[in-house]
Amino acid sequence: MAADELKVKSQPATGNWALGAVYPGAALKYMAGSKSAWELKAQSGSGIFAVGPRYYRYLTQASNTRLFFGLEADYITYKSDVSKGSGLAGGAFVGGELFLTKQISLLMDFGPMYIDLTDNDFLESASQLEYVLNLGIYWHFK
């Protein structure tokens, strides 16, 4: 098989789905078009749970490496020995996805996230801009 044929066949087509193992959680992605995708991502760890949608806009499509940028919004809950509460997070990211096979890819992105949390018991709140790195491995299927 020629290298050009492998590159074209390695890219997910419109209507394809992907299941991802993202650190530390899971994601379900839907290819809405040749240049865009939607994803629902959930992550949990150390008393924190975050869930929300992501939108991807792909810049490259003709190779095994796809560059993208996107937006994310999350609902967050947290609980510790001292406090518990909830909040929202939102931000943008840039990254890339490297296809190892026709169905398996590695994804990495990075970007700023604005996080706003409120403590339920003490009516205290905190907001801050943080930089977030996401890593994942995806299995693409129809």
Side-chain angles (χ1 to χ4, degrees):
M1 181 179 306
D4 290 339
E5 291 177 14
L6 177 62
K7 288 179 182 178
V8 172
K9 290 182 180 181
S10 294
Q11 303 309 311
T14 300
N16 279 3
W17 291 83
L19 185 61
V22 294
Y23 181 77
L28 181 63
K29 187 188 298 187
Y30 175 73
M31 297 301 298
S34 63
K35 291 187 175 186
S36 64
W38 285 95
E39 178 179 72
L40 181 61
K41 183 173 79 167
Q43 294 177 293
S44 180
S46 299
I48 300 171
F49 177 74
V51 63
R54 300 182 103 205
Y55 172 76
Y56 292 83
R57 183 69 177 177
Y58 291 96
L59 302 172
T60 58
Q61 301 170 20
S63 69
N64 285 346
T65 302
R66 299 182 76 194
L67 301 177
F68 57 80
F69 66 92
L71 299 171
E72 178 175 357
D74 293 314
Y75 174 73
I76 302 169
T77 62
Y78 67 93
K79 184 177 181 181
S80 71
D81 295 337
V82 178
S83 66
K84 66 179 179 177
S86 62
L88 299 173
F93 55 88
V94 296
E97 188 170 16
L98 173 65
F99 282 82
L100 302 176
T101 70
K102 191 188 280 190
Q103 292 182 305
I104 297 173
S105 68
L106 297 176
L107 181 136
M108 183 177 81
D109 61 62
F110 175 80
M113 291 286 286
Y114 180 76
I115 303 170
D116 183 35
L117 300 174
T118 302
D119 185 297
N120 294 342
D121 296 330
F122 301 107
L123 299 176
E124 293 288 327
S125 65
S127 301
Q128 188 167 340
L129 185 66
E130 295 285 340
Y131 289 90
V132 177
L133 175 68
N134 290 294
L135 302 170
I137 184 165
Y138 286 76
W139 179 56
H140 298 264
F141 59 97
K142 261 199 167 201

